[in-house]
Amino acid sequence: MTAPPLILGSSSRYRAELLARLHLPFTCVAPEVDESPRPGETPRALAGRLARSKALEVAGRHPRAWVIGADQVADLAGEPLGKPGDAAGAQAQLRRLSGQAVVFHSALALAGPGGLHGECCIPVRVRFRRLDEAAIARYVALEPAFDCAGSAKCEGLGITLLEAIESEDPTALIGLPLIATAALLRGVGLDPLGAAA
């Protein structure tokens, strides 16, 4: 019997590149979900709700598939940080993050036949070093991370803006915690190494 197809419920190229590391065939489907925070919703709760909503929304359109939903929300002292969008936004965000610690909540959900099959949220604590205006301007010019909350790509030159990254899963900061993803997939019989679930 053929296993149900695997879908990444995301339009993020970063998440697609990460999931490809597991060597499982998958397709990408953009979820149709309102990502607006609810009043009083914490960054962690927002990330979890959006990951669940994305997985369930795409699974509703593809009922025979296993669907991975993921979301990440940057949390600066309880305030969610969005994507900067442009150079001015990135520079303003990096000024705020200079010398600060921010927690990136990387949430994951797996939906499939019968509904939700598992979820988790992996926190990643990132400490930014003190940044002067010249360093911020040079970074934004060299690596415009306008589609990344926090305005820095740890997998690129953005690593030079940081003092430390603390996490149980280094891939969580990029947007898809692969240790947890592989565990959820094994739980439904999709083992990247081919063993029976």
Side-chain angles (χ1 to χ4, degrees), residues 7-89:
I7 296 175
L8 176 61
S10 176
S11 56
S12 165
R13 63 188 171 93
Y14 306 112
R15 289 192 181 107
E17 288 168 2
L18 284 168
L19 186 57
R21 292 188 194 180
L22 299 186
H23 293 263
L24 291 169
F26 69 95
T27 56
C28 293
V29 174
E32 297 173 9
V33 169
D34 178 2
E35 299 194 22
S36 305
R38 293 175 178 168
E41 191 170 38
T42 67
R44 181 183 176 95
L46 172 62
R49 177 175 62 82
L50 292 179
R52 280 191 305 278
S53 297
K54 291 174 180 181
L56 291 168
E57 192 279 328
V58 173
R61 289 187 275 149
H62 301 272
R64 290 193 60 257
W66 294 111
V67 181
I68 296 167
D71 200 83
Q72 184 183 77
V73 178
D75 178 349
L76 179 61
E79 178 190 343
L81 297 179
K83 297 172 183 174
D86 58 22

